[in-house]
Amino acid sequence: MKIDYRNLSKEDILYLLKSEDKTEFDELMQQAYDMKNENVGHKAYYRGIIEFSNICAKDCYYCGIRKSNKGVSRFAMNIREILDCAELAWKMNYGSVVLQSGERTDEEFVAFVEKAIREIKKVSNNELGITISLGEQSEETYRRWFEAGAHRYLIRIETSNNELYKTLHPQDHDFSERFECLNRLRRVGYQVGTGVMIGLPEQTMEDLTNDIIFFKENDIDMIGMGPYIVHHETPLAKKVKDFNKEYQLNLGLKMIALTRLYLKDVNIASTTALQALHHEGREFGLQAGANIIMPNITHTKYREGYQLYDNKPCTDENASMCRACLEGRISKIGEEIGYNEWGDSPHFEKKNKLEK
Ligand code: SAM
Ligand code: SF4
C-alpha cells in the first residue's frame, strides 16, 4: 500500500497499526523520527517525576495503587521531601519537574499541592518548569495550582471509547467528567496533555486510531501515553490471558510514531512503561518520534509503594544513577538533552503567538 506519511488518513493509521510487516514498521519509525526532527528538533527534554503519594480515592481496575488494593502500604511525602527531590532535579540541570500522585480533591490536599508548587518555584529561583498530573479537579483547583506556578497538566483520557472506558472503571468514574477536565485546563491557560493506555484488553485497532484522531480534534499540546502493563492484584489482570511484552512494546512505539506523524508539533513523552517492557524502551520511544523523557527522581524508599504495574523499572536506583545511565543511552542514539530548558510544546507556543 502506498502511504503518504505526511498526510496520513484514518485508513492509513488503521492499516499501519494492524500491519505486522517488519519493513513497514521500520519505515514508519524512520518517517516519524524525521518528522520529529523537522518539527521539534533533536533535543530530548527532561521532566524529573516526583511520585509524591500513592493515596488515591479512585479505584481504576488496571492500577496497582487503586483504593481497594489492600496490599499497598500508603505513603505521602512531606513538603521538605518534595523540595529535596526538586532541588536535586534543579542541581542536575533538569528543566522541569512533574508532580504526580493518586487522586484526592480534599482541601488539605489542594492546599498542600499549591504550597509545594510555590516552594519549588522559590527554591529553584523560578527556573524549574512544573507539570502536574493529579487527575480530575475543579476549575478552581486547576486555577489555584496554575497561579501558584504550574504551567502544564497531564490527564490521560485512558481511551477515547466511552464503552471501553466503562469496562476499565467503576460506575462512579465518568468519561465525560474526565473529558471536561481538558476544557477546564485549557480555559485556565495550561499546556494540556493527555494520552491513553495502549494494548488494553478488548481495545481494538479502531479504538487506537480514534484515540489519535481525538488528540488532533481536541487540539492537545502534549501526549503522555504508554503500553498497558498488567498489575497482578487488579481486577483487569483477570481479563489478560497471555501478556506479550514484545507485542505491547511494538504497539506502543507505533502509536508514538503515528501520533507524531499526524499531530507533528506536539510534545510526546517516551514513558516509563516502555522501559518496563524493554531496557532500551525509552530510547526506542525517542527513535519513534517522542521528545520528552521523565526520569524518576522520587526518593528510592518510596518507589516500591508506587507500583502502578508489575516490574516497574528503576525502583532501586537513585536519581543520580538514573541520570547517568539515561544520559549515556540518549547520546548513543544521537539525541541531545535539553538541560536547563523547559522545552514547552511548540504546538502550544504557535497557538499563543497567533492569538497575540
Ligand atoms: N491519579 C492520576 C490520574 O489517574 O490521572 C495520576 C496518576 S496515575 C497513576 C497516571 C497514569 O498511570 C494513569 O493515567 C494511567 O494511564 C497509568 N496507569 C495506571 N495503571 C497502569 C497500568 N497498569 N499500565 C500502564 N499504565 C497505567
Ligand atoms: Fe488512582 Fe490514577 Fe491509579 Fe486511577 S490511575 S487508581 S486515579 S492513581
Side-chain angles (χ1 to χ4, degrees), residues 75-267:
F75 74 88
M77 283 163 61
N78 60 36
I79 297 261
R80 188 61 256 161
E81 290 172 312
I82 294 178
L83 290 181
D84 284 347
C85 299
E87 267 185 294
L88 182 67
W90 184 53
K91 286 185 182 144
M92 292 193 298
N93 301 318
Y94 288 7
S96 305
V97 289
V98 182
L99 290 180
Q100 196 186 78
S101 79
E103 190 176 301
R104 279 175 60 184
T105 53
D106 53 284
E107 173 54 29
E108 190 192 344
F109 179 76
V110 173
F112 175 86
V113 171
E114 193 177 12
K115 181 156 188 244
I117 295 168
R118 285 194 202 283
E119 298 284 320
I120 291 173
K121 282 288 183 191
K122 228 188 273 168
V123 297
S124 71
N125 200 19
N126 265 330
E127 285 171 13
L128 278 176
I130 303 179
T131 305
I132 34 183
S133 173
L134 302 172
E136 295 166 33
Q137 305 286 342
S138 67
E139 191 157 330
E140 172 56 20
T141 296
Y142 287 148
R143 181 159 290 113
R144 280 170 67 181
W145 292 344
F146 186 78
E147 282 169 2
H151 75 294
R152 310 185 198 103
Y153 202 104
L154 184 63
I155 178 166
R156 291 184 177 178
I157 50 157
E158 314 298 0
T159 169
S160 59
N161 178 341
N162 192 9
E163 292 309 309
L164 180 61
Y165 191 91
K166 284 185 197 155
T167 70
L168 304 170
H169 302 96
Q171 275 184 355
D172 60 347
H173 295 33
D174 184 1
F175 178 80
S176 59
E177 174 63 18
R178 202 147 178 99
F179 174 70
E180 185 47 32
C181 286
L182 299 176
N183 295 328
R184 286 178 200 150
L185 289 162
R186 201 169 290 110
R187 282 196 293 270
V188 172
Y190 284 95
Q191 286 175 50
V192 179
T194 195
V196 294
M197 280 180 290
I198 302 158
L200 288 158
E202 293 165 19
Q203 187 180 43
T204 64
M205 295 303 147
E206 281 78 6
D207 290 333
L208 290 172
T209 304
N210 289 332
D211 292 341
I212 296 178
I213 289 165
F214 174 98
F215 300 151
K216 179 137 181 185
E217 283 179 350
N218 287 282
D219 204 16
I220 297 302
D221 304 305
M222 340 182 280
I223 308 291
M225 61 183 170
Y228 160 69
I229 304 180
V230 174
H231 186 293
H232 64 285
E233 272 162 10
T234 56
L236 199 64
K238 295 186 190 75
K239 283 196 181 172
V240 180
K241 282 169 203 83
D242 73 292
F243 186 78
N244 183 332
K245 274 183 163 187
E246 196 184 340
Y247 176 82
Q248 292 294 94
L249 175 70
N250 287 339
L251 193 56
L253 295 173
K254 282 200 228 175
M255 280 295 283
I256 290 179
L258 289 164
T259 303
R260 170 61 67 206
L261 287 165
Y262 200 62
L263 276 79
K264 301 187 171 61
D265 58 0
V266 294
N267 275 350

Side-chain angles (χ1 to χ4, degrees), residues 53-68 74 100-104 133-136 158 168-169 173 178 197 306 308:
S53 169
N54 63 0
I55 300 171
C56 188
K58 289 229 166 136
D59 229 354
C60 309
Y61 293 153
Y62 42 83
C63 178
I65 62 169
R66 61 197 296 269
K67 178 176 70 179
S68 298
R74 303 287 162 172
Q100 196 186 78
S101 79
E103 190 176 301
R104 279 175 60 184
S133 173
L134 302 172
E136 295 166 33
E158 314 298 0
L168 304 170
H169 302 96
H173 295 33
R178 202 147 178 99
M197 280 180 290
Y306 206 84
L308 309 181

